[in-house]
Amino acid sequence: MVTTASPQSTRQRPRFRLVLATGAAAASLVMAGAVVPEAQAQPQARAAADDDGKQVLTVAVSQSIDSLSPFLAQRLVSTSIHRLAYDYLTNYDPEDGHTVPGLATEWKPSADKLTWTYTIRDDSKWSDGKQATADDAAWTFNKMMTDPNAATANGSFTANFKTVTAPDPETLVIELKKPQATMTALDVPIVPKHVWEKVGDFSKFNNDKQFPVVGNGPFVITDFKVDQYVKLEPNKTFWRGAPKFDELVFKYYKDGDAAVAALRKGEVSFVQGLTPAQAAALKSAENIKVNDAPGRRFFALATNPGAQSKDGKKFGNGHKALLDPAVRKALFHATDRTTIVDKVFQGHAVAGEGYIPPRFESYFWKPETSQEIAYDPAKAAQILDEAGYKKNGSGKRLGKDGKPLDFRILCHSTDPNDKAIGKYLQEWWGELGIGLKVECLDNVSDPWLKGDYDLAFDGWSVNPDPDFVLSIHTCAALPATPKDTGATDNFICDKQFDGLYAQQAAEYDPAKRADLVKQMQSRLYDTGYMNVLAYPNAVEAYRTDQIKSITTMPEAAGNIYGQDGYWSWWSAEPAATDDGSDSGSSMGVAIGAVAAVVLAAALGLFVAMRRRSTAEDRE
């Protein structure tokens, strides 16, 4: 983690450009696990300059943008961009994830905790020069409350809101129907009312045609090309201080081999999602640092529970046998997590247990020994036999309809882990007499949303507060009709889970809420719709001759890419300037003691929570 001088410093600095590459190139390398020979490396002291003389810092990412609309986006790369382009009411301290000021400088609940009053800062401006006010926040939340299409990505946050008003430019008042534990962790980008009130159909507006996009975060979105890049420039008026690089570009790489090769050559300054082979090779490379830290993601096997919409209509073509709990349990008994961690992740992961990764200690849950669905192929076969799924003369397991049990699993074509684990599943489940077709696609979202799958490799990033990743498994997250898009992950609708979700959402006591969250994980585990296989490490690398320092989250041992906040790219400090002097000391993570005092005075209590990445989300 990097700590530099106060953000109020105005010392002159050189012009740099920060580029984040996403997608294509970051994947093929990963898929193959290939390593570019050292002889091909052509290190450069700094990122290459573009035609206008600006310095370019490039970061490779392997995920394409689903939407630039904060009301629709759910993938990690998209929500990460929104954290850079828009301020949220609150943020998370990079050291330990506790709540710190964002657009709101302080907040306090009423005695009954049904009314929350936020003080909106007076030094935040939209990038078009207009003042950001409480009215913008009120409009954002009210739009989500009144337009289902505007609630697609983050509607769970406002479902319990009764009224939202802005009595004056610096005061936001939210009245709740019942207590809500996420009021200091509302991960909703606040948008400018004067721009977004002109939007018609929120379900179709992707915010990707007119640039620059007006925002009030540390960066401004300036350009976008589908499956190529998203460009951003520093917001010079950002209240915490402008970033140190002149441009930030999320560049899509589908081929991971190409991304790592570019890192070695100095054409790319940062790559995430490294394979074990890539990470091992890069550790010995000159001017490259590998960051291998406990991640905030889980990697899971999801089964189709029968795609359905809120109006009760069924759709999709999921295999009917997977509606039987015995079949799901047998499949999970025949899945060896230890082998997956040791052979696929090669130790860069921890075996999966509950839904929340162990990084979030207060919410982490693991099954009791009597509850655990451990690797036991003999037990799996016994369960299937007793449930009436017998083998025929050729060793094929038959369904209740007399047909062989053959399943499909959705696989991301850019993810080598999906492919490798898919091969293991074919072997393990084949011994049970069950067939498995691994369907690797560039775009898994389309069949997923249509319910056209049997099983799928799933994974989400979890925020300090787990509400969002829990909400996507509630009945309320289902699409309104089969033609609509809901916030659901994989169509789970379980009344017992919903009851626990409602209780935790209204529980302000941290210990009691944590217990309810653990009960939810236990229920999700028992239903067998989700099988968390592993908690992958964040394995990433950057060039030290281009990046002098950068903030990890948490500071002690955390990730750089996909943080709960904008700390990494906002704080990134160039390695050197053209004149040889140090640069970037004008910025820093200035949230320490002063912010802590503000928080203590404003809230009178410590709440460390919140949610997704994101959504990473499905991809």
Side-chain angles (χ1 to χ4, degrees):
M1 181 277 167
V2 158
T3 330
T4 55
S6 162
Q8 280 72 37
S9 172
T10 57
R11 193 157 76 101
Q12 290 296 313
R13 58 184 176 82
R15 293 164 63 85
F16 283 81
R17 175 172 284 179
L18 175 59
V19 181
L20 295 179
T22 81
S28 92
L29 207 188
V30 176
M31 289 164 48
V35 177
V36 179
E38 194 71 49
Q40 296 182 21
Q42 300 175 19
Q44 302 174 2
R46 285 174 297 283
D50 63 7
D51 292 341
D52 61 8
K54 293 180 180 178
Q55 295 295 325
V56 181
L57 181 60
T58 306
V59 179
V61 194
S62 59
Q63 190 179 55
S64 59
I65 304 295
D66 55 345
S67 178
L68 285 180
S69 166
F71 299 96
L72 299 177
Q74 295 191 44
R75 293 182 184 173
L76 179 60
V77 64
S78 309
T79 56
S80 295
I81 289 171
H82 290 142
R83 286 190 177 277
L84 299 172
Y86 302 97
D87 221 354
Y88 296 23
L89 288 182
T90 59
N91 206 333
Y92 305 102
D93 188 293
E95 181 176 358
D96 59 15
H98 76 264
T99 305
V100 297
L103 182 60
T105 59
E106 57 184 42
W107 46 88
K108 60 182 179 181
S110 58
D112 62 5
K113 297 182 180 179
L114 291 176
T115 301
W116 286 72
T117 302
Y118 300 81
T119 300
I120 303 301
R121 63 176 59 256
D122 61 5
D123 57 352
S124 177
K125 288 185 179 295
W126 297 110
S127 52
D128 62 2
K130 296 183 182 296
Q131 182 71 32
T133 70
D135 194 40
D136 295 302
W139 186 89
T140 300
F141 291 131
N142 276 301
K143 186 64 181 178
M144 294 169 63
M145 293 162 61
T146 57
D147 185 343
N149 292 323
T152 299
N154 298 304
S156 62
F157 291 111
T158 59
N160 182 47
F161 287 9
K162 185 177 180 181
T163 63
V164 181
T165 58
D168 62 66
E170 296 178 20
T171 305
L172 176 72
V173 180
I174 300 178
E175 185 179 356
L176 305 172
K177 300 172 186 176
K178 57 185 178 182
Q180 181 168 323
T182 60
M183 295 308 289
T184 59
L186 297 173
D187 282 352
V188 176
I190 303 302
V191 302
K193 174 184 176 181
H194 65 280
V195 174
W196 283 83
E197 64 183 354
K198 301 172 185 176
V199 175
D201 188 347
F202 273 64
S203 69
K204 298 178 180 179
F205 183 73
N206 283 309
N207 196 30
D208 58 2
K209 296 296 186 290
Q210 294 186 339
F211 301 98
V213 174
V214 178
N216 65 337
F219 291 90
V220 178
I221 301 172
T222 58
D223 196 9
F224 170 64
K225 290 282 189 294
V226 175
D227 286 347
Q228 293 186 47
Y229 60 78
V230 177
K231 295 184 178 181
L232 303 94
E233 293 183 359
N235 179 0
K236 303 296 186 181
T237 63
F238 184 53
W239 62 269
R240 199 186 290 277
K244 301 176 185 66
F245 290 93
D246 283 333
E247 190 171 47
L248 167 63
V249 181
F250 287 77
K251 184 178 178 183
Y252 180 71
Y253 275 81
K254 184 178 180 180
D255 182 0
D257 290 346
V260 173
L263 182 73
R264 286 182 174 275
K265 294 177 181 179
E267 298 170 354
V268 166
S269 297
F270 178 94
V271 174
Q272 53 86 32
L274 297 174
T275 65
Q278 293 164 358
L282 289 174
K283 283 183 178 179
S284 60
E286 185 179 0
N287 296 324
I288 291 177
K289 178 178 176 58
V290 174
N291 184 48
D292 186 356
R296 54 187 283 249
R297 289 182 54 71
F298 64 80
F299 184 95
L301 190 61
T303 62
N304 186 340
Q308 60 181 315
S309 51
K310 289 179 183 176
D311 60 7
K313 294 181 180 178
K314 305 287 186 179
F315 58 94
N317 59 14
H319 202 296
K320 302 299 182 183
L322 289 172
L323 301 180
D324 187 340
V327 174
R328 300 195 298 270
K329 189 172 184 178
L331 292 179
F332 294 167
H333 269 303
T335 302
D336 187 356
R337 292 177 178 82
T338 300
T339 293
I340 289 172
V341 170
D342 292 345
K343 301 298 185 182
V344 178
F345 291 99
Q346 295 184 31
H348 297 276
V350 176
E353 293 175 301
Y355 189 63
I356 308 298
R359 168 166 159 176
F360 304 102
E361 185 177 358
S362 61
Y363 296 113
F364 178 63
W365 170 87
K366 57 170 41 178
E368 299 291 338
T369 302
S370 60
Q371 182 184 14
E372 183 180 6
I373 306 175
Y375 179 57
D376 189 339
K379 180 70 173 178
Q382 179 185 347
I383 290 173
L384 290 172
D385 287 338
E386 292 177 352
Y389 298 91
K390 304 291 186 180
K391 285 185 176 181
N392 62 16
S394 60
K396 283 290 295 183
R397 189 77 60 171
L398 302 179
K400 299 295 180 67
D401 57 2
K403 297 179 180 179
L405 286 183
D406 291 305
F407 299 133
R408 305 159 297 165
I409 185 167
L410 277 178
C411 157
H412 299 75
S413 62
T414 59
D415 193 328
N417 297 324
D418 284 12
K419 294 181 178 181
I421 295 172
K423 291 181 179 179
Y424 276 111
L425 294 179
Q426 287 177 321
E427 176 186 341
W428 296 330
W429 296 358
E431 293 176 358
L432 290 176
I434 294 175
L436 180 66
K437 181 181 180 181
V438 181
E439 300 180 336
C440 294
L441 307 173
D442 288 341
N443 176 16
V444 302
S445 293
D446 288 346
W448 199 317
L449 293 173
K450 293 177 182 177
D452 292 341
Y453 67 98
D454 300 330
L455 302 107
F457 291 112
D458 197 5
W460 287 76
S461 293
V462 180
N463 280 16
D465 184 283
D467 182 83
F468 179 82
V469 291
L470 298 173
S471 74
I472 59 178
H473 294 307
T474 61
C475 301
L478 295 174
T481 73
K483 295 182 179 180
D484 294 312
T485 299
T488 185
D489 179 35
N490 62 314
F491 305 102
I492 293 175
C493 179
D494 178 74
K495 297 300 182 182
Q496 185 174 332
F497 184 89
D498 274 21
L500 291 167
Y501 175 79
Q503 290 182 59
Q504 68 82 30
E507 181 56 70
Y508 284 106
D509 183 282
K512 292 180 180 178
R513 183 169 182 243
D515 181 65
L516 288 166
V517 170
K518 291 175 182 178
Q519 291 183 49
M520 294 178 71
Q521 295 178 76
S522 178
R523 175 60 182 171
L524 193 61
Y525 186 91
D526 288 343
T527 63
Y529 293 128
M530 293 284 291
N531 182 13
V532 177
L533 303 178
Y535 310 112
N537 285 4
V539 187
E540 48 201 9
Y542 64 92
R543 293 198 63 92
T544 57
D545 57 354
Q546 296 181 19
I547 301 176
K548 176 182 179 181
S549 57
I550 193 165
T551 300
T552 60
M553 185 177 186
E555 291 177 358
N559 54 293
I560 294 172
Y561 177 75
Q563 294 182 357
D564 305 300
Y566 44 65
W567 308 115
S568 55
W569 309 120
W570 170 77
S571 71
E573 184 177 352
T577 69
D578 289 338
D579 62 7
S581 63
D582 227 356
S583 76
S585 61
S586 62
M587 217 70 46
V589 183
I591 53 178
V594 174
V597 171
V598 173
L599 290 175
L603 193 55
L605 54 91
F606 174 83
V607 183
M609 13 179 162
R610 212 6 267 193
R611 166 219 65 146
R612 150 193 86 174
S613 137
T614 244
E616 162 132 27
D617 310 56
R618 190 184 313 277
E619 295 288 340

